[in-house]
PDB file of all heavy atoms in Angstrom:
ATOM      1  N   GLU A  98      82.874 140.744 277.815  1.00 60.00           N
ATOM      2  CA  GLU A  98      82.281 140.591 276.484  1.00 60.00           C
ATOM      3  C   GLU A  98      82.781 141.649 275.504  1.00 60.00           C
ATOM      4  O   GLU A  98      82.375 141.682 274.346  1.00 60.00           O
ATOM      5  CB  GLU A  98      80.755 140.662 276.563  1.00 60.00           C
ATOM      6  CG  GLU A  98      80.100 139.488 277.282  1.00 60.00           C
ATOM      7  CD  GLU A  98      80.189 139.629 278.785  1.00 60.00           C
ATOM      8  OE1 GLU A  98      80.504 140.753 279.245  1.00 60.00           O
ATOM      9  OE2 GLU A  98      79.962 138.632 279.497  1.00 60.00           O
ATOM     10  N   GLY A  99      83.640 142.548 275.947  1.00 57.00           N
ATOM     11  CA  GLY A  99      84.178 143.571 275.062  1.00 57.00           C
ATOM     12  C   GLY A  99      83.435 144.886 275.109  1.00 57.00           C
ATOM     13  O   GLY A  99      83.854 145.844 274.479  1.00 57.00           O
ATOM     14  N   GLY A 100      82.334 144.967 275.813  1.00 60.00           N
ATOM     15  CA  GLY A 100      81.601 146.220 275.918  1.00 60.00           C
ATOM     16  C   GLY A 100      81.975 146.972 277.190  1.00 60.00           C
ATOM     17  O   GLY A 100      83.067 146.798 277.741  1.00 60.00           O
ATOM     18  N   ARG A 101      81.043 147.817 277.649  1.00 63.00           N
ATOM     19  CA  ARG A 101      81.284 148.570 278.877  1.00 63.00           C
ATOM     20  C   ARG A 101      80.157 148.291 279.853  1.00 63.00           C
ATOM     21  O   ARG A 101      78.986 148.203 279.479  1.00 63.00           O
ATOM     22  CB  ARG A 101      81.369 150.084 278.600  1.00 63.00           C
ATOM     23  CG  ARG A 101      82.658 150.473 277.913  1.00 63.00           C
ATOM     24  CD  ARG A 101      82.727 151.979 277.669  1.00 63.00           C
ATOM     25  NE  ARG A 101      82.886 152.750 278.896  1.00 63.00           N
ATOM     26  CZ  ARG A 101      84.047 152.884 279.548  1.00 63.00           C
ATOM     27  NH1 ARG A 101      85.130 152.257 279.113  1.00 63.00           N
ATOM     28  NH2 ARG A 101      84.116 153.630 280.625  1.00 63.00           N
ATOM     29  N   ARG A 102      80.525 148.153 281.097  1.00 64.00           N
ATOM     30  CA  ARG A 102      79.551 147.950 282.155  1.00 64.00           C
ATOM     31  C   ARG A 102      79.573 149.190 283.045  1.00 64.00           C
ATOM     32  O   ARG A 102      80.634 149.684 283.416  1.00 64.00           O
ATOM     33  CB  ARG A 102      79.921 146.695 282.966  1.00 64.00           C
ATOM     34  CG  ARG A 102      78.973 146.407 284.115  1.00 64.00           C
ATOM     35  CD  ARG A 102      79.407 145.155 284.841  1.00 64.00           C
ATOM     36  NE  ARG A 102      79.430 144.021 283.911  1.00 64.00           N
ATOM     37  CZ  ARG A 102      80.153 142.941 284.102  1.00 64.00           C
ATOM     38  NH1 ARG A 102      80.962 142.837 285.153  1.00 64.00           N
ATOM     39  NH2 ARG A 102      80.104 141.939 283.232  1.00 64.00           N
ATOM     40  N   TRP A 103      78.384 149.694 283.353  1.00 56.00           N
ATOM     41  CA  TRP A 103      78.278 150.941 284.130  1.00 56.00           C
ATOM     42  C   TRP A 103      77.905 150.623 285.577  1.00 56.00           C
ATOM     43  O   TRP A 103      76.976 149.871 285.842  1.00 56.00           O
ATOM     44  CB  TRP A 103      77.237 151.873 283.507  1.00 56.00           C
ATOM     45  CG  TRP A 103      77.596 152.280 282.115  1.00 56.00           C
ATOM     46  CD1 TRP A 103      77.189 151.717 280.950  1.00 56.00           C
ATOM     47  CD2 TRP A 103      78.491 153.316 281.758  1.00 56.00           C
ATOM     48  NE1 TRP A 103      77.744 152.338 279.872  1.00 56.00           N
ATOM     49  CE2 TRP A 103      78.560 153.348 280.339  1.00 56.00           C
ATOM     50  CE3 TRP A 103      79.244 154.249 282.476  1.00 56.00           C
ATOM     51  CZ2 TRP A 103      79.340 154.243 279.639  1.00 56.00           C
ATOM     52  CZ3 TRP A 103      80.026 155.165 281.787  1.00 56.00           C
ATOM     53  CH2 TRP A 103      80.075 155.152 280.386  1.00 56.00           C
ATOM     54  N   ARG A 104      78.638 151.240 286.501  1.00 59.00           N
ATOM     55  CA  ARG A 104      78.418 151.038 287.921  1.00 59.00           C
ATOM     56  C   ARG A 104      78.055 152.366 288.572  1.00 59.00           C
ATOM     57  O   ARG A 104      78.747 153.375 288.386  1.00 59.00           O
ATOM     58  CB  ARG A 104      79.687 150.472 288.567  1.00 59.00           C
ATOM     59  CG  ARG A 104      79.620 150.289 290.073  1.00 59.00           C
ATOM     60  CD  ARG A 104      80.858 149.542 290.566  1.00 59.00           C
ATOM     61  NE  ARG A 104      82.082 150.166 290.081  1.00 59.00           N
ATOM     62  CZ  ARG A 104      82.670 151.215 290.683  1.00 59.00           C
ATOM     63  NH1 ARG A 104      82.102 151.778 291.749  1.00 59.00           N
ATOM     64  NH2 ARG A 104      83.779 151.719 290.205  1.00 59.00           N
ATOM     65  N   ALA A 105      76.957 152.379 289.321  1.00 56.00           N
ATOM     66  CA  ALA A 105      76.485 153.620 289.939  1.00 56.00           C
ATOM     67  C   ALA A 105      77.320 153.973 291.166  1.00 56.00           C
ATOM     68  O   ALA A 105      77.732 153.093 291.925  1.00 56.00           O
ATOM     69  CB  ALA A 105      75.013 153.482 290.339  1.00 56.00           C
ATOM     70  N   HIS A 106      77.559 155.280 291.343  1.00 51.00           N
ATOM     71  CA  HIS A 106      78.199 155.793 292.547  1.00 51.00           C
ATOM     72  C   HIS A 106      77.127 156.215 293.542  1.00 51.00           C
ATOM     73  O   HIS A 106      75.954 156.364 293.203  1.00 51.00           O
ATOM     74  CB  HIS A 106      79.092 156.989 292.217  1.00 51.00           C
ATOM     75  CG  HIS A 106      80.359 156.598 291.534  1.00 51.00           C
ATOM     76  ND1 HIS A 106      81.148 157.501 290.860  1.00 51.00           N
ATOM     77  CD2 HIS A 106      80.983 155.398 291.402  1.00 51.00           C
ATOM     78  CE1 HIS A 106      82.195 156.885 290.363  1.00 51.00           C
ATOM     79  NE2 HIS A 106      82.116 155.605 290.669  1.00 51.00           N
ATOM     80  N   SER A 107      77.525 156.509 294.765  1.00 52.00           N
ATOM     81  CA  SER A 107      76.575 156.991 295.767  1.00 52.00           C
ATOM     82  C   SER A 107      76.082 158.376 295.386  1.00 52.00           C
ATOM     83  O   SER A 107      76.819 159.175 294.797  1.00 52.00           O
ATOM     84  CB  SER A 107      77.223 157.036 297.150  1.00 52.00           C
ATOM     85  OG  SER A 107      78.263 157.996 297.173  1.00 52.00           O
ATOM     86  N   ALA A 108      74.842 158.675 295.746  1.00 48.00           N
ATOM     87  CA  ALA A 108      74.229 159.954 295.368  1.00 48.00           C
ATOM     88  C   ALA A 108      74.944 161.135 295.989  1.00 48.00           C
ATOM     89  O   ALA A 108      75.068 162.200 295.376  1.00 48.00           O
ATOM     90  CB  ALA A 108      72.759 159.959 295.774  1.00 48.00           C
ATOM     91  N   SER A 109      75.434 160.994 297.230  1.00 48.00           N
ATOM     92  CA  SER A 109      76.030 162.141 297.928  1.00 48.00           C
ATOM     93  C   SER A 109      77.224 162.700 297.187  1.00 48.00           C
ATOM     94  O   SER A 109      77.479 163.904 297.212  1.00 48.00           O
ATOM     95  CB  SER A 109      76.447 161.727 299.341  1.00 48.00           C
ATOM     96  OG  SER A 109      77.390 160.669 299.285  1.00 48.00           O
ATOM     97  N   GLY A 110      77.975 161.837 296.502  1.00 51.00           N
ATOM     98  CA  GLY A 110      79.153 162.313 295.806  1.00 51.00           C
ATOM     99  C   GLY A 110      78.837 163.094 294.555  1.00 51.00           C
ATOM    100  O   GLY A 110      79.371 164.177 294.332  1.00 51.00           O
ATOM    101  N   PHE A 111      77.943 162.546 293.724  1.00 50.00           N
ATOM    102  CA  PHE A 111      77.737 163.196 292.433  1.00 50.00           C
ATOM    103  C   PHE A 111      76.776 164.381 292.497  1.00 50.00           C
ATOM    104  O   PHE A 111      76.802 165.247 291.626  1.00 50.00           O
ATOM    105  CB  PHE A 111      77.279 162.198 291.365  1.00 50.00           C
ATOM    106  CG  PHE A 111      75.829 161.829 291.390  1.00 50.00           C
ATOM    107  CD1 PHE A 111      74.888 162.639 290.781  1.00 50.00           C
ATOM    108  CD2 PHE A 111      75.405 160.654 291.994  1.00 50.00           C
ATOM    109  CE1 PHE A 111      73.554 162.284 290.774  1.00 50.00           C
ATOM    110  CE2 PHE A 111      74.071 160.307 291.994  1.00 50.00           C
ATOM    111  CZ  PHE A 111      73.139 161.115 291.393  1.00 50.00           C
ATOM    112  N   LEU A 112      75.931 164.482 293.530  1.00 48.00           N
ATOM    113  CA  LEU A 112      75.024 165.624 293.611  1.00 48.00           C
ATOM    114  C   LEU A 112      75.793 166.930 293.747  1.00 48.00           C
ATOM    115  O   LEU A 112      75.418 167.946 293.170  1.00 48.00           O
ATOM    116  CB  LEU A 112      74.046 165.451 294.781  1.00 48.00           C
ATOM    117  CG  LEU A 112      72.891 164.481 294.535  1.00 48.00           C
ATOM    118  CD1 LEU A 112      72.025 164.354 295.777  1.00 48.00           C
ATOM    119  CD2 LEU A 112      72.055 164.925 293.342  1.00 48.00           C
ATOM    120  N   ASP A 113      76.887 166.917 294.529  1.00 53.00           N
ATOM    121  CA  ASP A 113      77.710 168.123 294.640  1.00 53.00           C
ATOM    122  C   ASP A 113      78.271 168.523 293.280  1.00 53.00           C
ATOM    123  O   ASP A 113      78.351 169.706 292.943  1.00 53.00           O
ATOM    124  CB  ASP A 113      78.865 167.894 295.616  1.00 53.00           C
ATOM    125  CG  ASP A 113      78.401 167.856 297.055  1.00 53.00           C
ATOM    126  OD1 ASP A 113      77.289 168.358 297.326  1.00 53.00           O
ATOM    127  OD2 ASP A 113      79.138 167.330 297.911  1.00 53.00           O
ATOM    128  N   SER A 114      78.661 167.513 292.483  1.00 56.00           N
ATOM    129  CA  SER A 114      79.191 167.790 291.151  1.00 56.00           C
ATOM    130  C   SER A 114      78.117 168.394 290.256  1.00 56.00           C
ATOM    131  O   SER A 114      78.368 169.346 289.506  1.00 56.00           O
ATOM    132  CB  SER A 114      79.729 166.510 290.529  1.00 56.00           C
ATOM    133  OG  SER A 114      80.151 166.735 289.198  1.00 56.00           O
ATOM    134  N   VAL A 115      76.887 167.852 290.333  1.00 51.00           N
ATOM    135  CA  VAL A 115      75.782 168.388 289.526  1.00 51.00           C
ATOM    136  C   VAL A 115      75.489 169.832 289.909  1.00 51.00           C
ATOM    137  O   VAL A 115      75.302 170.710 289.052  1.00 51.00           O
ATOM    138  CB  VAL A 115      74.529 167.517 289.699  1.00 51.00           C
ATOM    139  CG1 VAL A 115      73.317 168.166 289.033  1.00 51.00           C
ATOM    140  CG2 VAL A 115      74.768 166.136 289.113  1.00 51.00           C
ATOM    141  N   ARG A 116      75.436 170.088 291.214  1.00 51.00           N
ATOM    142  CA  ARG A 116      75.164 171.457 291.678  1.00 51.00           C
ATOM    143  C   ARG A 116      76.242 172.432 291.219  1.00 51.00           C
ATOM    144  O   ARG A 116      75.961 173.539 290.777  1.00 51.00           O
ATOM    145  CB  ARG A 116      75.077 171.471 293.210  1.00 51.00           C
ATOM    146  CG  ARG A 116      73.850 170.766 293.751  1.00 51.00           C
ATOM    147  CD  ARG A 116      73.973 170.536 295.243  1.00 51.00           C
ATOM    148  NE  ARG A 116      72.890 169.700 295.750  1.00 51.00           N
ATOM    149  CZ  ARG A 116      72.974 168.955 296.844  1.00 51.00           C
ATOM    150  NH1 ARG A 116      74.097 168.945 297.552  1.00 51.00           N
ATOM    151  NH2 ARG A 116      71.943 168.238 297.242  1.00 51.00           N
ATOM    152  N   GLN A 117      77.518 171.993 291.293  1.00 54.00           N
ATOM    153  CA  GLN A 117      78.602 172.869 290.880  1.00 54.00           C
ATOM    154  C   GLN A 117      78.547 173.152 289.390  1.00 54.00           C
ATOM    155  O   GLN A 117      78.808 174.282 288.948  1.00 54.00           O
ATOM    156  CB  GLN A 117      79.950 172.246 291.245  1.00 54.00           C
ATOM    157  CG  GLN A 117      81.134 173.202 291.074  1.00 54.00           C
ATOM    158  CD  GLN A 117      80.960 174.459 291.899  1.00 54.00           C
ATOM    159  OE1 GLN A 117      80.685 174.402 293.093  1.00 54.00           O
ATOM    160  NE2 GLN A 117      81.106 175.617 291.267  1.00 54.00           N
ATOM    161  N   ARG A 118      78.200 172.135 288.596  1.00 57.00           N
ATOM    162  CA  ARG A 118      78.063 172.356 287.153  1.00 57.00           C
ATOM    163  C   ARG A 118      76.961 173.347 286.853  1.00 57.00           C
ATOM    164  O   ARG A 118      77.085 174.197 285.967  1.00 57.00           O
ATOM    165  CB  ARG A 118      77.786 171.024 286.438  1.00 57.00           C
ATOM    166  CG  ARG A 118      78.985 170.101 286.375  1.00 57.00           C
ATOM    167  CD  ARG A 118      78.697 168.833 285.598  1.00 57.00           C
ATOM    168  NE  ARG A 118      78.358 169.106 284.208  1.00 57.00           N
ATOM    169  CZ  ARG A 118      78.208 168.175 283.296  1.00 57.00           C
ATOM    170  NH1 ARG A 118      78.378 166.905 283.609  1.00 57.00           N
ATOM    171  NH2 ARG A 118      77.882 168.483 282.059  1.00 57.00           N
ATOM    172  N   HIS A 119      75.875 173.275 287.625  1.00 51.00           N
ATOM    173  CA  HIS A 119      74.772 174.215 287.445  1.00 51.00           C
ATOM    174  C   HIS A 119      75.236 175.637 287.760  1.00 51.00           C
ATOM    175  O   HIS A 119      74.953 176.581 287.010  1.00 51.00           O
ATOM    176  CB  HIS A 119      73.609 173.814 288.351  1.00 51.00           C
ATOM    177  CG  HIS A 119      72.477 174.801 288.353  1.00 51.00           C
ATOM    178  ND1 HIS A 119      71.592 174.916 287.309  1.00 51.00           N
ATOM    179  CD2 HIS A 119      72.113 175.742 289.268  1.00 51.00           C
ATOM    180  CE1 HIS A 119      70.713 175.874 287.574  1.00 51.00           C
ATOM    181  NE2 HIS A 119      71.017 176.389 288.754  1.00 51.00           N
ATOM    182  N   LEU A 120      75.958 175.803 288.876  1.00 51.00           N
ATOM    183  CA  LEU A 120      76.450 177.130 289.247  1.00 51.00           C
ATOM    184  C   LEU A 120      77.443 177.653 288.217  1.00 51.00           C
ATOM    185  O   LEU A 120      77.406 178.831 287.852  1.00 51.00           O
ATOM    186  CB  LEU A 120      77.103 177.075 290.627  1.00 51.00           C
ATOM    187  CG  LEU A 120      76.174 176.864 291.818  1.00 51.00           C
ATOM    188  CD1 LEU A 120      76.977 176.711 293.094  1.00 51.00           C
ATOM    189  CD2 LEU A 120      75.193 178.027 291.944  1.00 51.00           C
ATOM    190  N   ASN A 121      78.324 176.783 287.731  1.00 57.00           N
ATOM    191  CA  ASN A 121      79.296 177.202 286.730  1.00 57.00           C
ATOM    192  C   ASN A 121      78.605 177.659 285.452  1.00 57.00           C
ATOM    193  O   ASN A 121      79.015 178.649 284.826  1.00 57.00           O
ATOM    194  CB  ASN A 121      80.264 176.061 286.420  1.00 57.00           C
ATOM    195  CG  ASN A 121      81.209 175.769 287.564  1.00 57.00           C
ATOM    196  OD1 ASN A 121      81.355 176.583 288.474  1.00 57.00           O
ATOM    197  ND2 ASN A 121      81.844 174.607 287.541  1.00 57.00           N
ATOM    198  N   ALA A 122      77.563 176.928 285.046  1.00 60.00           N
ATOM    199  CA  ALA A 122      76.839 177.294 283.827  1.00 60.00           C
ATOM    200  C   ALA A 122      76.130 178.633 284.011  1.00 60.00           C
ATOM    201  O   ALA A 122      76.132 179.483 283.101  1.00 60.00           O
ATOM    202  CB  ALA A 122      75.825 176.208 283.475  1.00 60.00           C
ATOM    203  N   ALA A 123      75.522 178.849 285.182  1.00 55.00           N
ATOM    204  CA  ALA A 123      74.835 180.118 285.442  1.00 55.00           C
ATOM    205  C   ALA A 123      75.830 181.269 285.443  1.00 55.00           C
ATOM    206  O   ALA A 123      75.562 182.346 284.898  1.00 55.00           O
ATOM    207  CB  ALA A 123      74.095 180.052 286.783  1.00 55.00           C
ATOM    208  N   HIS A 124      77.002 181.042 286.051  1.00 55.00           N
ATOM    209  CA  HIS A 124      78.016 182.093 286.070  1.00 55.00           C
ATOM    210  C   HIS A 124      78.520 182.385 284.662  1.00 55.00           C
ATOM    211  O   HIS A 124      78.722 183.548 284.288  1.00 55.00           O
ATOM    212  CB  HIS A 124      79.174 181.673 286.968  1.00 55.00           C
ATOM    213  CG  HIS A 124      80.249 182.707 287.079  1.00 55.00           C
ATOM    214  ND1 HIS A 124      81.474 182.585 286.482  1.00 55.00           N
ATOM    215  CD2 HIS A 124      80.258 183.912 287.705  1.00 55.00           C
ATOM    216  CE1 HIS A 124      82.194 183.651 286.727  1.00 55.00           C
ATOM    217  NE2 HIS A 124      81.485 184.466 287.475  1.00 55.00           N
ATOM    218  N   ALA A 125      78.707 181.341 283.860  1.00 64.00           N
ATOM    219  CA  ALA A 125      79.174 181.539 282.480  1.00 64.00           C
ATOM    220  C   ALA A 125      78.167 182.365 281.687  1.00 64.00           C
ATOM    221  O   ALA A 125      78.549 183.226 280.888  1.00 64.00           O
ATOM    222  CB  ALA A 125      79.406 180.188 281.811  1.00 64.00           C
ATOM    223  N   ARG A 126      76.864 182.111 281.906  1.00 64.00           N
ATOM    224  CA  ARG A 126      75.843 182.899 281.204  1.00 64.00           C
ATOM    225  C   ARG A 126      75.902 184.362 281.631  1.00 64.00           C
ATOM    226  O   ARG A 126      75.765 185.268 280.801  1.00 64.00           O
ATOM    227  CB  ARG A 126      74.450 182.315 281.469  1.00 64.00           C
ATOM    228  CG  ARG A 126      74.193 180.992 280.768  1.00 64.00           C
ATOM    229  CD  ARG A 126      72.713 180.619 280.811  1.00 64.00           C
ATOM    230  NE  ARG A 126      72.227 180.402 282.162  1.00 64.00           N
ATOM    231  CZ  ARG A 126      72.274 179.232 282.795  1.00 64.00           C
ATOM    232  NH1 ARG A 126      72.800 178.177 282.187  1.00 64.00           N
ATOM    233  NH2 ARG A 126      71.789 179.106 284.019  1.00 64.00           N
ATOM    234  N   ALA A 127      76.087 184.610 282.932  1.00 58.00           N
ATOM    235  CA  ALA A 127      76.168 185.988 283.420  1.00 58.00           C
ATOM    236  C   ALA A 127      77.385 186.706 282.841  1.00 58.00           C
ATOM    237  O   ALA A 127      77.308 187.877 282.448  1.00 58.00           O
ATOM    238  CB  ALA A 127      76.217 186.006 284.950  1.00 58.00           C
TER     239      ALA A 127
END
């Protein structure tokens, strides 16, 4: 239809990414 369709990934993959982003942000603040 010309738009975008979003497909979910498994939780195990993206949770590591979320945790790493959190650690990176905390380190950047320090």
Side-chain angles (χ1 to χ4, degrees):
E98 292 79 14
R101 287 181 70 78
R102 179 179 301 157
W103 298 95
R104 177 172 52 84
H106 286 164
S107 65
S109 59
F111 80 83
L112 283 178
D113 287 341
S114 175
V115 172
R116 291 167 188 155
Q117 190 58 51
R118 288 183 62 172
H119 174 75
L120 290 175
N121 290 344
H124 182 253
R126 288 193 296 272

